[in-house]
Amino acid sequence: MEKKLKYALFTGCTAKESTPEQLMSTYAVAEKLGIELVELSEATCCGASHLQDYDDFLSLVLNARNICYAESRGMTMVTICNTCQLNTAMTKHRLDNDPELKARVNEKLAEVGLEYKGTSEITHFLYAIIDDFGLETLGEKVVTPLSQFNIAPFYGCHNIRPSELQNETHGKAENPYNPNSLDDLIVTLGGVNVDYEEKNKCCGFHAELQAPKTAALLTGKALMGAMDANADWMVTPCPLCHLKLDTQYEHAGHAVGRDVKMPVLHMQQMVGLALGCTPAELGLKHHVSKVNFV
Amino acid sequence: MTTITTQTITFNVFRFNSETDYLPYYKTIEMEVTSEEVVLDILNRIKWDVDGSFSYRRSCRHGICGACAIKVNGKGVLACKERMNDLIELFGTELTLEPLSIKRAVKDMIIDKEDFWKKHEQVKPYLIDEIDEHPESENLVTPKEEAQLLEADYCIQCGLCHYSCPSLENNDSYIGPAAFAAAYRFNADVRDKATLDRLDIVNAPDQGVWDCVKCYECQEVCPKEVNPIEKITKLHNQVFEHGVAINNVATRHAVGFAHSIKKHGLLDEAELVRYSEGTLPMLMKHGKVGFKMFKVGKVVMPWNMPKSDKLDEVKALIKSSSTVKF
Ligand code: SF4
Ligand code: SF4
Ligand code: FES
């Protein structure tokens, strides 16, 4: 009998705000796969790699608190955002390897009756599907193979770098110079995975306000790379990359001197399409770059 | 005893002589590679056995001089340290050998590193203090104080991080990870007195730490575990700790997270942009995209802003755990 998978879902902020379709499709896919998700309703923003620039200790305390709530439910925490994954896993790594720091953080958490123990694992939904559910089992559940599509994987920095950390959180360690998880997923779902130079590069999201030119160039080059490799659409496990690629194509196009609009799907939407979920369940109308093939 | 194995590898080798070539080209070379070899062995064999004009830099052969840094299939490596077996396992039997930066190529694998050294110089990478010329005792540094440098002192200036940094690749003014690591190294030195000067330099828009896109390429590629992005984060922190943060888009963007979390637990994305940029610039810069997002249901109205449960707990923690003010 298949083991029932159960996770504490850390939604992050974006899935609750500007990428509602990502949350919808996460639940739709979980239901199809029989995965139980218990939302961490107490969780706060992970600080998205910016709060730590302002106040590193505060960022640690808040992330540790989030993990405490996964621990209190006795579950592995599952994230659906690369940056949430990085910040949370990095907090866990730092606290688990530095007893003095852990004690300082726990001193604060004790004020609100919490204690960080380090008992919950942290994984991304992409890796929960690949490592825990298993690609083979997933392949058996495919009802609509994606065989007519050339799909360009876009990994997003924070799932693949720093690899030392990712190796702790992902069973089949990914190599940032030649990552394979998304490619394997695309092939399992019957699609054709497209190779292009920018697939493991940065989309520029985190510098969008502070360094708009750099950010636009990076987004433009990524979209252009996928287009030149004949992709019908792109897919990413990160809602921040998604936002950048889906909504910023106009600035990005100006930066690289080309029209670079193309559909960009969340990893969950791609899985959902192959599992037979409806476009409405997957929130496909919530895209700025229209998903025009369904 | 380990057995030595051999494989045939196809190398695509970048060739360019800035004195005679108009454009670079790639030369295909097939070679038998043994499991014992490192990339530098291949570079040597290309020069010795295939073409004597092939040029590259090397010196120590021990991973400490940084001279032999090149890229293999886009991955920055120290040629004398990188094992061929690992590269074959990662990329297969077709490997492209390129200089660290194609646009700075002088001859084959040799690049002009002038920009690297200029940026390095820009951050004043030396100890600054009024030194007593006739000291009565030694100027001792305790192990604990030395530990503050973290690994920033280990940099061999190979340039791997510098020429892997996408921010730098797209913005010539950006100072870059290696120079930032050096800035941190001297700021963290208890004997140094120029912290504020250096913070002025690394805090400036366009060139400074705020232009880092947080891709972690520098941490990934560094052969000496200097972890430049960690040092960049420390420089960000120093800017606030020393009270020299300039009130601008970049600093407000970092501080805005604390405000949002205090209010909602979660981040109020639209409000963060407004707080960082100001209302009018926000509308001018992002109005059009914002409207498109609104039309497809990607904008949450303030009255619908989701909140974390147990917000009182979050507020209490922010109050008791905050270490800086802005
Ligand atoms: S993390 Fe920042 S400094 Fe490091 S490579 Fe990326 S953009 Fe450059
Ligand atoms: S920080 Fe690391 S990668 Fe960068 S120049 Fe120094 S040793 Fe090389
Ligand atoms: S030759 Fe000195 S680092 Fe490779």
Side-chain angles (χ1 to χ4, degrees):
Chain A
M1 206 184 76
E2 263 175 40
K3 183 178 82 189
K4 178 147 173 99
L5 295 171
K6 215 171 170 181
Y7 299 95
L9 173 66
F10 178 43
T11 65
C13 308
T14 305
K16 293 237 154 182
E17 296 173 56
S18 36
T19 59
E21 72 282 0
Q22 200 212 11
L23 195 56
M24 296 162 72
S25 52
T26 300
Y27 278 117
V29 165
E31 200 187 315
K32 284 269 184 217
L33 300 181
I35 296 175
E36 188 180 337
L37 298 174
V38 180
E39 199 171 307
L40 284 170
S41 53
E42 307 88 348
T44 66
C45 170
C46 69
S49 84
H50 298 284
L51 179 64
Q52 75 194 43
D53 291 344
Y54 172 49
D55 193 333
D56 184 53
F57 184 68
L58 177 62
S59 153
L60 277 174
V61 170
L62 293 174
N63 279 301
R65 175 183 172 275
N66 291 342
I67 305 172
C68 285
Y69 281 104
E71 290 180 357
S72 70
R73 289 172 171 91
M75 294 177 193
T76 290
M77 178 195 273
V78 72
T79 64
I80 49 175
C81 167
N82 291 21
T83 297
C84 296
Q85 174 65 25
L86 174 68
N87 281 301
T88 316
M90 201 183 299
T91 300
K92 178 175 168 60
H93 176 88
R94 286 174 67 187
L95 297 185
D96 291 352
N97 291 286
D98 185 343
E100 206 181 304
L101 189 63
K102 184 171 157 184
R104 275 178 59 212
V105 166
N106 268 333
E107 200 180 304
K108 294 296 168 194
L109 291 173
E111 291 171 12
V112 294
L114 294 170
E115 186 193 353
Y116 170 84
K117 298 192 188 75
T119 50
S120 279
E121 296 302 318
I122 298 157
T123 190
H124 188 288
F125 196 50
L126 169 67
Y127 300 137
I129 291 177
I130 292 178
D131 299 336
D132 303 347
F133 191 82
L135 283 179
E136 213 172 297
T137 330
L138 179 71
E140 290 160 13
K141 302 223 175 242
V142 170
V143 292
T144 323
L146 307 175
S147 47
Q148 51 192 317
F149 300 117
N150 287 338
I151 306 168
F154 189 79
Y155 282 83
C157 299
H158 295 171
N159 258 14
I160 56 177
R161 286 179 291 265
S163 55
E164 230 173 66
L165 187 68
Q166 309 313 342
N167 291 348
E168 283 176 21
T169 49
H170 172 28
K172 277 191 291 167
E174 189 131 67
N175 194 306
Y177 296 103
N178 198 8
N180 62 327
S181 60
L182 269 183
D183 286 87
D184 292 350
L185 186 64
I186 293 168
V187 172
T188 302
L189 302 175
V192 179
N193 58 328
V194 153
D195 199 20
Y196 64 115
E197 202 186 312
E198 291 78 13
K199 75 176 184 182
N200 59 346
K201 298 284 184 276
C202 180
C203 71
F205 178 87
H206 287 286
E208 161 134 30
L209 299 187
Q210 311 90 300
K213 267 196 226 141
T214 304
L217 280 166
L218 289 172
T219 310
K221 287 177 183 173
L223 286 163
M224 210 157 65
M227 286 171 77
D228 289 347
N230 271 331
D232 296 307
W233 36 278
M234 295 172 87
V235 66
T236 177
C238 178
L240 307 182
C241 297
H242 184 271
L243 264 184
K244 197 79 181 71
L245 298 165
D246 174 54
T247 70
Q248 297 290 325
Y249 59 86
E250 216 169 292
H251 291 153
H254 286 151
V256 295
R258 245 176 81 181
D259 182 3
V260 287
K261 191 173 173 182
M262 76 145 49
V264 184
L265 270 72
H266 297 281
M267 176 274 294
Q268 295 88 328
Q269 290 178 316
M270 173 177 76
V271 177
L273 279 177
L275 296 181
C277 300
T278 64
E281 284 173 310
L282 301 174
L284 288 170
K285 69 174 180 17
H286 293 289
H287 289 232
V288 172
S289 303
K290 291 274 167 271
V291 180
N292 45 17
F293 51 81
V294 282
Chain B
M1 206 183 79
T2 38
T3 19
I4 299 177
T5 54
T6 312
Q7 283 191 74
T8 310
I9 305 297
T10 308
F11 292 101
N12 299 309
V13 186
F14 177 91
R15 300 299 313 263
F16 179 62
N17 181 345
S18 57
E19 287 186 356
T20 53
D21 295 333
Y22 182 56
L23 286 174
Y25 58 98
Y26 287 80
K27 199 168 160 68
T28 308
I29 301 172
E30 271 198 7
M31 260 192 199
E32 295 287 304
V33 170
T34 72
S35 50
E36 297 284 275
E37 287 181 294
V38 293
V39 176
L40 184 58
D41 294 320
I42 307 301
L43 300 181
N44 287 337
R45 283 169 52 201
I46 294 175
K47 186 169 186 73
W48 298 338
D49 304 341
V50 183
D51 183 345
S53 74
F54 179 62
S55 304
Y56 51 100
R57 285 194 180 111
R58 81 274 183 271
S59 179
C60 69
R61 213 214 182 281
H62 286 290
I64 52 156
C65 75
C68 66
I70 64 163
K71 282 188 180 167
V72 182
N73 285 24
K75 175 181 173 7
V77 301
L78 286 183
C80 68
K81 220 181 146 199
E82 193 75 15
R83 292 154 40 94
M84 286 305 303
N85 265 4
D86 293 340
L87 288 172
I88 296 165
E89 194 181 316
L90 180 57
F91 294 119
T93 54
E94 197 167 313
L95 298 174
T96 302
L97 308 179
E98 284 170 325
L100 277 188
S101 162
I102 286 181
K103 67 180 177 200
R104 305 193 71 86
V106 176
K107 189 156 189 275
D108 304 331
M109 298 298 129
I110 297 174
I111 62 162
D112 174 0
K113 267 173 90 174
E114 192 191 1
D115 69 314
F116 177 85
W117 297 116
K118 278 208 162 138
K119 301 239 164 110
H120 191 62
E121 196 186 325
Q122 199 179 346
V123 301
K124 302 181 194 279
Y126 35 80
L127 208 101
I128 300 180
D129 191 14
E130 292 296 325
I131 301 285
D132 181 355
E133 288 194 13
H134 306 284
E136 303 217 326
S137 61
E138 289 166 276
N139 198 352
L140 294 177
V141 174
T142 65
K144 204 168 170 200
E145 287 166 342
E146 193 274 337
Q148 290 304 311
L149 305 187
L150 303 171
E151 309 87 355
D153 219 16
Y154 298 166
C155 176
I156 57 171
Q157 296 163 344
C158 62
L160 282 175
C161 60
H162 187 87
Y163 296 108
S164 300
C165 171
S167 191
L168 194 59
E169 193 179 288
N170 290 289
N171 169 11
D172 286 337
S173 312
Y174 186 61
I175 293 173
F180 287 140
Y184 171 78
R185 187 251 168 266
F186 289 97
N187 274 6
D189 193 315
V190 286
R191 301 163 298 175
D192 182 83
K193 300 282 183 298
T195 296
L196 294 181
D197 284 355
R198 281 193 208 92
L199 287 182
D200 261 358
I201 298 161
V202 307
N203 195 19
D206 211 34
Q207 66 179 33
V209 285
W210 304 103
D211 280 52
C212 167
V213 296
K214 296 170 182 280
C215 66
Y216 286 77
E217 293 267 13
C218 52
Q219 176 177 353
E220 194 62 47
V221 79
C222 177
K224 291 285 153 189
E225 298 187 14
V226 170
N227 197 348
I229 187 175
E230 182 195 38
K231 312 303 176 280
I232 291 172
T233 304
K234 295 268 180 202
L235 290 171
H236 279 117
N237 293 158
Q238 286 178 2
V239 163
F240 288 108
E241 284 158 10
H242 289 272
V244 293
I246 309 163
N247 186 353
N248 62 17
V249 174
T251 50
R252 285 196 302 269
H253 184 247
V255 177
F257 279 81
H259 290 318
S260 248
I261 296 173
K262 197 165 165 190
K263 205 162 158 198
H264 309 282
L266 299 175
L267 180 69
D268 183 340
E269 293 175 327
E271 172 57 19
L272 176 73
V273 179
R274 199 196 63 79
Y275 176 79
S276 308
E277 307 234 343
T279 310
L280 200 60
M282 170 182 86
L283 289 174
M284 282 166 58
K285 280 190 209 158
H286 309 289
K288 201 168 155 196
V289 173
F291 184 65
K292 283 186 191 167
M293 289 174 66
F294 174 77
K295 279 207 306 198
V296 295
K298 282 183 171 297
V299 176
V300 172
M301 289 297 143
W303 50 89
N304 283 332
M305 209 10 242
K307 280 194 190 328
S308 304
D309 287 355
K310 306 200 179 181
L311 206 50
D312 286 349
E313 197 175 283
V314 177
K315 286 185 181 161
L317 280 177
I318 292 183
K319 195 160 174 225
S320 77
S321 311
S322 293
T323 60
V324 275
K325 283 207 160 40
F326 176 65

